[in-house]
Amino acid sequence: MTRSFPDGFLWGVSTSAYQVEGAVEADGRVPSIWDVYSHTPGKIDGGGTGDVACDHYRRWENDLDLIASLNASAYRFSLAWPRLFTPGERRGWDHYDRLIDGLLGRGIEPVVTLYHWDLPQALEDTGGWLNRDTAERFAEHAARCFDAYGDRVGWWLTINEPWIVGLLGYLLGLHAPGYEGDLRGEVTVFHHLLLAHGRAVQEFRVGANPGRIGLAPNLMPHYPLTGSGADGEAAWGSEGYVNRWFLDAIFRGRYPDDQRERYEAQAGPLDFVRDGDLETIAEPTDFLGVNYYAPRWLEAVPGDTPWPWRVVVPDGLETTGGFTDGVPQTEAGTPIVPFGLTDLLVGIHRDYGDVPLLITENGAVFGDEPGEDGRVRDERRVEFVRTHVGAVLEAIDRGAPVVGYCHWSLMDNFEWKLGYGQRFGLVHVDYDTLARTVKDSGRYFARLAAANALLEPEEAAL
Ligand code: FCB
């Protein structure tokens, strides 16, 4: 049975600048923290860097044709701050001008991320996100972007995944700038990223821009491992760390007390939070970007540090989330749980009200390569798209105001620490020739986008 989406539903594909653009020395671009990090020996699996990536900076016109061939009505990409950093240098600005006009000319909505992790190294040298001043520098940069493109961009995202920036960049040492074990640094960075978000929203309103603006956090529905009260508390606690820290701040103007207490016990007083900051952070937004990959299952571990819980891999476990055996996983080991997306969207609507929800990322690693006939038969990704798009429909049926679905990613690309080993694309990229090949999942996505409906793969006649 065909099930339709609301009129005007956005069907998007997502990328970010450092992961696809390459051309790192073109047109006056300055180095970013990811150039420095990826060029540090031993940091990236397989030794990859973003120097060439998919060469999207040069091949943008062909890539826009490719996006149009997927019937996408939206393209989420990020503006590389390092290309827009040097006063008087226009070439980077001109590039994004052409990209935006090229999208609009093809009937595709630009969904523009202002910060997708490629901080200019010059700002890292003055403390990066640990330095409150970086939030102000970001607000100035955002204002310039609104001046340049605000007349044509309908959808703006301020910051991509602040939680991941702090966790992987300051606590786990797995992402640029590569600090490890700095819990106070993590929460400081969370705060400055949120402040940067709020200041950018203020700048957006000053400019009377016609578009909409929001944050793009990664969010996870939480499930306790068992029905025990302790596991229930662990799930609630972890939700405070991952979701509520950001959503309570932007929608309610406060940090959740429980997580604030846990931070203060481990990392000292949060005295970098100044009077008025939370009002700035809670500057009203127009929609919420939602990056969804998987849920989290929690088991209580009293006394563990920094947090009294453990994230459990649910393989073969029965949980209150309803799992039985053998949860399927992507090639990256991420559990595939479409109903988690429904739960997440319905839960955000229940807890935070009628804010429109735009799925800004959702996708999976499957390494399928072209067969002898050149076709990439990535049935597992077709199934992933089918079930997750179905989960979005289910959430809409249950009242969640979901306005679009952007798949991660348009094409295989540089997956940060994991290098080029993990393929997320609807389009295959041959890293020797940089040739693009639309996968079966890309064809399937194109059929759904054209129909504005969920079709079975057989109906879509792949
Ligand atoms: C998200 C990032 C995105 C990409 C996907 C797989 O955390 O926002 O850039 O790496 O994961």
Side-chain angles (χ1 to χ4, degrees):
M1 196 192 72
T2 307
R3 297 168 67 206
S4 294
F5 282 80
D7 286 347
F9 190 82
L10 290 175
W11 291 86
V13 286
S14 299
T15 63
S16 87
Y18 190 72
Q19 294 179 273
V20 296
E21 283 185 348
V24 290
E25 286 177 355
D27 294 350
R29 180 185 180 277
V30 299
S32 78
I33 56 174
W34 270 96
D35 296 285
V36 172
Y37 189 77
S38 69
H39 279 268
T40 307
K43 293 297 186 194
I44 307 297
D45 298 354
T49 73
D51 289 4
V52 176
C54 307
D55 198 32
H56 181 58
Y57 188 77
R58 297 201 171 93
R59 295 171 194 237
W60 65 272
E61 254 185 301
N62 285 336
D63 287 340
L64 294 198
D65 290 340
L66 193 60
I67 296 167
S69 81
L70 297 178
N71 298 325
S73 50
Y75 176 41
R76 178 185 179 218
F77 63 97
S78 73
L79 303 176
W81 194 353
R83 296 191 189 280
L84 310 175
F85 191 70
T86 305
E89 173 56 78
R90 294 299 313 165
R91 289 172 293 176
W93 293 96
D94 292 345
H95 170 77
Y96 293 117
D97 239 341
R98 290 189 290 268
L99 187 72
I100 290 167
D101 286 344
L103 286 166
L104 295 172
R106 289 167 177 81
I108 302 165
E109 285 267 351
V111 177
V112 177
T113 313
L114 288 165
Y115 185 71
H116 203 125
W117 305 353
D118 46 355
L119 186 75
Q121 178 63 35
L123 291 178
E124 183 60 30
D125 294 341
T126 56
W129 291 109
L130 290 169
N131 180 352
R132 184 181 173 94
D133 187 52
T134 300
E136 206 42 50
R137 301 297 303 276
F138 176 75
E140 292 161 9
H141 166 65
R144 283 192 285 270
C145 294
F146 303 144
D147 280 349
Y149 312 123
D151 55 337
R152 285 161 289 160
V153 173
W155 302 83
W156 291 92
L157 296 154
T158 53
I159 306 280
N160 183 68
E161 301 194 348
W163 185 69
I164 292 289
V165 173
L167 176 73
L168 298 194
Y170 293 80
L171 199 57
L172 302 182
L174 295 173
H175 272 191
Y179 293 99
E180 217 174 315
D182 186 0
L183 191 67
R184 189 171 172 80
E186 177 193 71
V187 66
T188 307
V189 162
F190 287 168
H191 183 65
H192 292 157
L193 287 164
L194 284 168
L195 197 58
H197 157 83
R199 284 286 298 110
V201 177
Q202 290 176 338
E203 295 295 335
F204 189 69
R205 301 301 179 211
V206 170
N209 291 286
R212 308 163 193 80
I213 194 163
L215 183 73
N218 58 303
L219 298 169
M220 297 189 236
H222 280 66
Y223 304 104
L225 180 60
T226 70
S228 79
D231 285 353
E233 269 175 46
W236 173 250
S238 169
E239 213 173 328
Y241 176 45
V242 182
N243 299 350
R244 288 184 286 118
W245 190 262
F246 302 94
L247 298 183
D248 281 12
I250 65 169
F251 292 126
R252 297 180 176 161
R254 60 180 160 77
Y255 288 127
D257 289 338
D258 60 324
Q259 182 61 21
R260 196 178 173 123
E261 279 162 23
R262 277 190 293 272
Y263 265 128
E264 290 191 329
Q266 298 288 331
L270 307 188
D271 47 17
F272 47 80
V273 180
R274 298 197 191 152
D275 284 354
D277 282 1
L278 278 147
E279 286 78 42
T280 302
I281 291 170
E283 190 70 39
T285 48
D286 304 305
F287 71 102
L288 178 69
V290 176
N291 290 1
Y292 171 74
Y293 288 90
R296 252 156 91 103
W297 293 266
L298 281 298
E299 181 179 27
V301 183
D304 209 3
T305 56
W307 317 125
W309 58 70
R310 178 161 55 213
V311 180
V312 179
V313 180
D315 193 31
L317 292 172
E318 185 153 358
T319 78
T320 53
F323 296 99
T324 51
D325 290 315
V327 175
Q329 301 185 353
T330 73
E331 279 177 16
T334 309
I336 301 174
V337 190
F339 76 70
L341 179 55
T342 310
D343 286 353
L344 178 67
L345 296 167
V346 169
I348 297 169
H349 181 230
R350 179 196 59 221
D351 295 341
Y352 298 99
D354 279 332
V355 57
L357 305 173
L358 174 63
I359 316 289
T360 34
E361 288 183 26
N362 171 238
V365 174
F366 296 113
D368 306 282
E369 292 287 338
E372 272 174 20
D373 58 357
R375 184 168 156 188
V376 185
R377 293 177 170 76
D378 59 337
E379 286 143 25
R380 292 169 297 176
R381 181 172 284 99
V382 170
E383 180 64 5
F384 185 95
V385 171
R386 185 184 73 79
T387 51
H388 285 78
V389 164
V392 173
L393 261 183
E394 172 76 21
I396 293 173
D397 285 350
R398 289 168 56 188
V402 188
V403 296
Y405 172 87
C406 299
H407 192 79
W408 185 274
S409 175
L410 163 63
M411 57 187 159
D412 300 335
N413 60 47
F414 176 74
E415 181 46 30
W416 308 113
K417 194 214 165 359
L418 304 169
Y420 292 97
Q422 303 223 328
R423 293 179 178 272
F424 273 96
L426 296 172
V427 175
H428 179 273
V429 176
D430 177 325
Y431 293 118
D432 293 327
T433 63
L434 296 176
R436 280 83 160 128
T437 306
V438 176
K439 303 179 189 178
D440 278 6
S441 58
R443 262 191 282 280
Y444 180 58
F445 177 93
R447 302 278 154 78
L448 302 191
N452 196 33
L454 180 60
L455 310 174
E456 295 302 316
E458 310 78 63
E459 291 176 272
L462 290 183

